[in-house]
Amino acid sequence: MQRRRLLQTLGMLPIAGGAGALLAAPAASSKLLIVFLRGAYDCCNLLVPTASNFYYESRPDIAIARPPAAGAAADPANPTAIALDANWGLHPALAGNLWPLYQKGELAFVPFAGTDDTSRSHFETQDGIELGQPLDRRRDYRSGFLNRLAEVVNGAAPMAFTDQLPLSMQGRAQVPNMALRSVGKSALDARQSRLIADMYEDTPLAAPVQEGFAVRANVARQLSAEMDAAGRGAVSARGFSAEAQRIGRLMAQGYNLGFVDVGGWDTHVNQGGVKGDLATRLGNLGDGLAQLPAAMGPAWRDTTVVVISEFGRTFRQNGNRGTDHGHGTVYWVLGGGVRGGKVLGEQVVVDQAHLFQNRDLRVLNEYRAVLGGLFARQFGLRPAQLAKVFDGVAPRDLGLV
């Protein structure tokens, strides 16, 4: 078996080693997980601009109703947005999972976020964000921003919870990847694993191969325990909720830079309002994210989870009661050390006059600047180190942590 084929069979690359030798930053105990919502979710029905009459005029079929007036009782049969402040509300699908985190101050939202890329192409914009390079330069597909972060953070232990190594993790630092949703039993039994390991004994790949088997065995043990628990009425192993628990446990055990993507957010037709396809997806995502504090235990205090998407969707609903490709979106930031319970970042009035190209939310909080400000604070990056991650960026510290 060729060495390259072996690593593909394992579904991972060797564990990072030596990353950050030249520009080691402090705060290695901090953990960061990026959750990428592929397909551009409709942020306007997640973080609802409840003060905007224009929102309700633009979405006669899919808008989320305003919260009850002060002193009025909520009607359980007719859910509404959950009031966050005088201008914003939260989709009721998150009432039982993430709303408690917001109340505890462990969840914040950043509206008008995103990239200056206006192609409205899923793939082009996803690639651009994951690379994190200036838009006016030729793209280097061998260098993603999380990999560059791994190079400058002291003791970085990156991990991608995906089938393929994502662009954000491509680069000089070696990063393992594994999609936990598809990992049940190993394709290799113990005897086969031992034979392969023996093949690489006394070679430079001996340690990475052993490390790869160890990670896979660890995940398999967790899945086995989970299936046993399910027999006693435990939660299903399917869906992002269960995957998030596994990610949380693995992050707590030894990884401090993680990436996972969640698909299915392209809602052109019948996306629904309080109920429907989007509401179901938001609820499932919220259920999964709400598992992280318990799964990570004490490590949650030093963890930041950032939920991003390639762009937002058109502000007005389309003729199919859905929404089309837009521009500005909303980022979610949660974690034990997050200064949440707020809607942060630069904002404008949500009305027709302030739309981008008369169709989308504007981007006022450019993602490289926002993430750069977050990384600088969380990992203690100096300007030269931050420039390695996001070349040419002027970081914006929104006080997220």
Side-chain angles (χ1 to χ4, degrees):
M1 181 180 294
Q2 295 179 347
R3 293 176 179 177
R4 180 180 299 275
R5 176 65 180 275
L6 166 66
L7 295 173
Q8 291 173 340
T9 301
L10 292 174
M12 59 184 62
L13 293 171
I15 300 294
L22 298 177
L23 287 167
S29 63
S30 289
K31 297 176 185 292
L32 170 73
L33 174 66
I34 297 291
V35 180
F36 202 122
L37 306 185
R38 297 194 188 277
Y41 84 103
D42 179 28
C43 64
C44 293
N45 272 17
L46 176 279
L47 185 65
V48 184
T50 53
S52 170
N53 291 331
F54 180 61
Y55 167 80
Y56 291 98
E57 295 165 0
S58 302
R59 296 181 170 219
D61 302 300
I62 65 173
I64 308 301
R66 288 189 170 98
D75 179 2
N78 295 293
T80 67
I82 304 164
L84 300 181
D85 58 27
N87 296 312
W88 302 102
L90 186 66
H91 195 292
L94 302 181
N97 42 50
L98 294 190
W99 170 233
L101 286 182
Y102 189 89
Q103 291 176 300
K104 288 174 62 178
E106 295 185 357
L107 169 63
F109 295 101
V110 181
F112 306 103
T115 170
D116 293 332
D117 183 331
T118 58
S119 68
R120 294 190 175 89
S121 160
H122 290 301
F123 300 124
E124 183 172 340
T125 313
Q126 288 176 16
D127 289 355
I129 289 176
E130 290 197 64
L131 293 173
Q133 300 162 10
L135 292 177
D136 59 352
R137 300 180 194 173
R138 185 174 182 178
R139 290 179 174 180
D140 179 358
Y141 285 88
R142 299 165 299 178
S143 179
F145 79 84
L146 284 175
N147 193 287
R148 298 194 296 273
L149 180 64
E151 286 194 278
V152 301
V153 170
N154 187 29
M159 173 74 171
F161 304 98
T162 52
D163 289 316
Q164 304 292 329
L165 194 67
L167 274 182
S168 61
M169 287 290 196
Q170 298 280 351
R172 291 191 300 178
Q174 294 178 325
V175 181
N177 69 284
M178 178 181 293
L180 303 186
R181 68 175 71 88
S182 61
V183 177
K185 296 180 180 178
S186 173
L188 304 173
D189 60 26
R191 174 179 168 279
Q192 292 169 320
S193 299
R194 187 170 59 255
L195 288 173
I196 292 173
D198 288 346
M199 288 171 52
Y200 286 87
E201 189 174 4
D202 299 326
T203 73
L205 283 177
V209 168
Q210 291 285 2
E211 191 79 31
F213 282 131
V215 172
R216 180 170 287 272
N218 185 23
V219 174
R221 282 195 298 272
Q222 291 188 15
L223 288 175
S224 178
E226 187 175 294
M227 284 188 286
D228 291 340
R232 299 191 294 270
V235 297
S236 168
R238 296 181 179 180
F240 180 73
S241 179
E243 186 177 6
Q245 292 180 51
R246 299 173 198 136
I247 291 172
R249 288 194 289 269
L250 285 171
M251 290 284 291
Q253 290 170 7
Y255 298 99
N256 54 19
L257 297 177
F259 177 96
V260 63
D261 48 10
V262 183
W265 301 94
D266 202 7
T267 52
H268 291 281
V269 179
N270 292 328
Q271 75 172 44
V274 168
K275 297 180 180 178
D277 288 346
L278 179 62
T280 299
R281 290 188 179 94
L282 289 174
N284 290 338
L285 178 66
D287 288 343
L289 294 173
Q291 305 296 323
L292 291 174
M296 300 193 70
W300 179 246
R301 290 195 301 265
D302 301 314
T303 299
T304 303
V305 181
V306 184
V307 181
I308 66 177
S309 195
E310 62 264 40
F311 43 70
R313 306 194 71 81
T314 48
F315 193 79
R316 301 176 180 89
Q317 72 176 54
N318 62 25
N320 295 314
R321 299 187 176 185
T323 50
D324 300 319
H325 298 180
H327 189 46
T329 185
V330 174
Y331 288 175
W332 320 9
V333 183
L334 57 155
V338 169
R339 298 177 178 177
K342 305 172 185 174
V343 179
L344 297 169
E346 185 176 348
Q347 302 170 36
V348 293
V349 173
V350 180
D351 60 15
Q352 183 173 359
H354 290 92
L355 291 184
F356 175 73
Q357 297 181 345
N358 192 32
R359 56 176 282 170
D360 316 311
L361 287 187
R362 294 177 179 275
V363 170
L364 304 175
N365 302 294
E366 196 271 337
Y367 83 103
R368 296 198 328 147
V370 171
L371 293 183
L374 173 64
F375 295 170
R377 182 183 282 266
Q378 179 169 357
F379 296 105
L381 301 186
R382 296 188 294 273
Q385 294 166 329
L386 183 59
K388 289 279 187 179
V389 181
F390 290 125
D391 184 20
V393 77
R396 294 189 61 190
D397 185 0
L398 301 184
L400 291 165
V401 295

